[in-house]
Amino acid sequence: MMSTAIFYHAGCPVCLGAEQMLANAIDSKKYTIENVHLGTHAKRIKEAEEAGVKSVPALVLDGEVFHINFGAAIADLKN
Amino acid sequence: MMSTAIFYHAGCPVCLGAEQMLANAIDSKKYTIENVHLGTHAKRIKEAEEAGVKSVPALVLDGEVFHINFGAAIADLKN
């Protein structure tokens, strides 16, 4: 049975590229990967909350929540 | 060329299983995956710091640092 990887985010423009890099690193042979933008798909917020998501970006692997702090260095914002 | 995924951790017994689940989810066809226990391999702390790792667990994908807050629910600690 395929495992499921759901990547919840909110479309942060600074972080999105890096976040997708993480999502793309997931093995698609093992995982069905879904990207959910909670800003534009607010009706899925409840599902995310019920899975235990406290902040975004978060990766949920078979129901296990990983909160990701990629963050953005202030220095990067100045570039 | 293979990409590199380095998973830095400190062997937290509560989180290790979940952290390895994340490391195992990385596509090994695309990434050379390395697990580094900084508690037992303290000489690699400098390398981790230079990569931008501020806390563990952290996943470094081709030099891009993702700090992961899996955390442990207090409720889980009581089990």
Side-chain angles (χ1 to χ4, degrees):
Chain A
M1 203 184 80
M2 285 288 271
S3 293
T4 61
I6 310 178
F7 185 65
Y8 294 102
H9 65 96
C12 157
V14 173
C15 304
L16 200 56
E19 294 167 13
Q20 288 194 326
M21 185 179 171
L22 177 61
N24 290 340
I26 301 294
D27 190 342
S28 59
K29 290 283 197 320
K30 297 181 192 165
Y31 288 86
T32 301
I33 301 166
E34 187 181 14
N35 278 281
V36 178
H37 186 319
L38 291 177
T40 56
H41 292 85
K43 64 183 174 183
R44 297 196 60 179
I45 290 175
K46 185 163 177 278
E47 158 206 310
E49 282 182 332
E50 286 173 357
V53 172
K54 306 287 188 205
S55 60
V56 289
L59 180 67
V60 180
L61 296 176
D62 283 340
E64 198 92 62
V65 180
F66 298 89
H67 295 101
I68 300 164
N69 286 3
F70 171 71
I74 294 296
D76 291 340
L77 297 174
K78 290 179 184 168
N79 286 345
Chain B
M1 203 184 79
M2 286 287 273
S3 292
T4 62
I6 309 178
F7 185 65
Y8 293 103
H9 65 96
C12 156
V14 174
C15 303
L16 199 56
E19 294 167 13
Q20 287 193 327
M21 185 179 171
L22 176 62
N24 290 340
I26 301 294
D27 190 341
S28 59
K29 290 282 196 319
K30 297 180 191 166
Y31 289 86
T32 300
I33 301 166
E34 187 181 13
N35 277 281
V36 178
H37 186 319
L38 290 177
T40 56
H41 292 84
K43 64 183 174 181
R44 297 195 61 179
I45 290 176
K46 184 163 178 277
E47 157 206 311
E49 281 182 333
E50 285 173 357
V53 173
K54 305 288 187 204
S55 60
V56 289
L59 180 67
V60 180
L61 295 175
D62 283 339
E64 198 91 63
V65 181
F66 298 90
H67 295 101
I68 300 166
N69 286 2
F70 173 71
I74 294 296
D76 291 341
L77 297 175
K78 290 179 183 167
N79 286 345

